[in-house]
Amino acid sequence: MSDNGCGFPAPGLHSFLFKPMFTVGGFEFNKVMLLALMTTLVVVTFFYVAFGKAKLVPGKLQMMGEAGYDFVRRGIVYETMGKKDGEKYVPLMVSLFFFIWIMNIWSVIPLTQFPVSSIIAYPAVLAAVVYLVWVPLTFKKHGFVGGWKNITGFDNSLGPIKWLVSFIEFFSNLLVRPFTHAVRLFANMFAGHLMLVMFTVASWYLLNSWMIPAAGVSFVMTMAMIVFELFVQAVQAYVFVLLACSYIQGALAEHH
C-alpha cells in the first residue's frame, strides 16, 4: 500500500534517487553515473568506428556519422555563427549534441529507463562548460573594457538609463543565462520521466485491478508519451547546442 492508502505507488522525487552500486574510498557510484559513463563510451565508440577508418565510399555507419556531424555543423553551428567563426567550434557542438541526446535517450531504453539529464548536476556541468568558453572568449576578443561592454550592453546613447540597462544585462548574461541554460534541459527531462513513470506504473496497477479497460487507455498513453519523449529528447539536445552557439556568437560579435 502507498502512503495515501489507495495502493497506487505514485511516482515522486524517490523515482530520481538511486542506491549506490558500490563505494570506493567514500565515493558512491550509482546507476546515473553508470549511464553517464555509458553515454561517453557510446558516443566515443560510435564516432571512432564511423570515422576511424573513413572510406571514400562510406559504409552505413560512416554515412550515419557524417549525417549527424553535418546536421550539427550546417544546421546549427553555421546557421548561428557562420562558417568562418563557427568551424573551430563544430567538434565541441557535435560532442555536446550527441552526449546530451544519448543521455536523454536512456529514458526509453528497457532496463536503463532513466534520462541522465533529469539530474541537475549533469546539465549544470555542461552549461558551465559553455559558460567557460564564451565568457573568456568575450574578453579575449574585445579586451577587458570592450568585454564588459559586450556583456553589459553599455551604450552612452541610452542616456540616464544606460546604468540600469547595463545592470540588467550583466545580471541576465552572467547569472541568469547559465542557470536557464541548465534548467531548461533538466526540467524537460525531469517532467518527461515523471510522466512516463506515472503512466507506466498506472498501467500495471490498473491491470491488476478490476479496471482493466482503463489499463488499456493508460498503456496507449504510455506509448504516446514514449514517442513524444523521443521527439523532446532530440529537441532539447538541439536547443541546448543552439543556445551555446548563440552565446559564443554573441561573444564574437562587435556589438552585443
Side-chain angles (χ1 to χ4, degrees):
M1 291 286 284
S2 63
D3 293 338
N4 58 17
C6 71
F8 177 69
L13 291 178
H14 62 273
S15 302
F16 299 84
L17 301 176
F18 297 93
K19 294 180 179 180
M21 299 174 68
F22 58 84
T23 302
V24 178
F27 178 79
E28 297 180 347
F29 189 89
N30 61 22
K31 176 182 177 178
V32 184
M33 296 176 184
L34 176 61
L35 292 178
L37 179 60
M38 289 171 59
T39 299
T40 304
L41 292 175
V42 168
V43 174
V44 171
T45 301
F46 172 78
F47 281 102
Y48 177 78
V49 173
F51 297 115
K53 295 181 180 179
K55 300 178 181 179
L56 187 61
V57 180
K60 292 182 179 180
L61 201 61
Q62 185 179 333
M63 288 181 64
M64 290 175 60
E66 289 178 352
Y69 189 90
D70 206 48
F71 168 74
V72 177
R73 181 177 61 177
R74 296 182 181 275
I76 305 179
V77 180
Y78 285 4
E79 287 293 323
T80 308
M81 304 172 61
K83 183 176 181 179
K84 182 180 178 181
D85 290 332
E87 187 63 43
K88 66 184 296 184
Y89 298 101
V90 171
L92 172 63
M93 297 306 164
V94 170
S95 299
L96 284 173
F97 179 87
F98 284 98
F99 187 73
I100 293 169
W101 189 30
I102 299 302
M103 283 202 306
N104 295 343
I105 281 181
W106 293 123
S107 173
V108 296
I109 302 298
L111 301 181
T112 60
Q113 296 173 306
F114 189 84
V116 179
S117 302
S118 65
I119 301 297
I120 187 61
Y122 295 92
V125 169
L126 296 178
V129 169
V130 176
Y131 185 85
L132 292 175
V133 170
W134 77 263
V135 173
L137 182 63
T138 302
F139 291 100
K140 180 180 179 181
K141 173 73 175 178
H142 304 284
F144 184 77
V145 176
W148 282 115
K149 285 184 177 180
N150 180 283
I151 289 173
T152 62
F154 184 84
D155 188 349
N156 281 315
S157 65
L158 294 175
I161 66 169
K162 62 185 178 183
W163 297 109
L164 176 61
V165 172
S166 295
F167 174 77
I168 293 173
E169 286 291 301
F170 171 85
F171 183 80
S172 174
N173 290 329
L174 289 186
L175 300 178
V176 176
R177 177 181 285 183
F179 175 78
T180 56
H181 198 195
V183 169
R184 182 181 286 105
L185 173 60
F186 155 73
N188 277 278
M189 291 301 100
F190 182 92
H193 181 65
L194 205 59
M195 292 294 290
L196 273 177
V197 172
M198 183 181 71
F199 282 112
T200 302
V201 173
S203 298
W204 179 254
Y205 174 76
L206 293 170
L207 189 63
N208 287 275
S209 69
W210 58 272
M211 300 179 66
I212 295 179
V217 175
S218 183
F219 178 76
V220 170
M221 287 299 300
T222 302
M223 294 298 102
M225 281 297 303
I226 289 175
V227 173
F228 181 68
E229 272 299 291
L230 286 170
F231 171 74
V232 171
Q233 288 159 5
V235 167
Q236 287 306 309
Y238 176 87
V239 170
F240 190 95
V241 173
L242 181 66
L243 289 173
C245 290
S246 176
Y247 299 157
I248 294 174
Q249 190 279 328
L252 296 172
E254 291 300 325
H255 299 284
H256 182 68

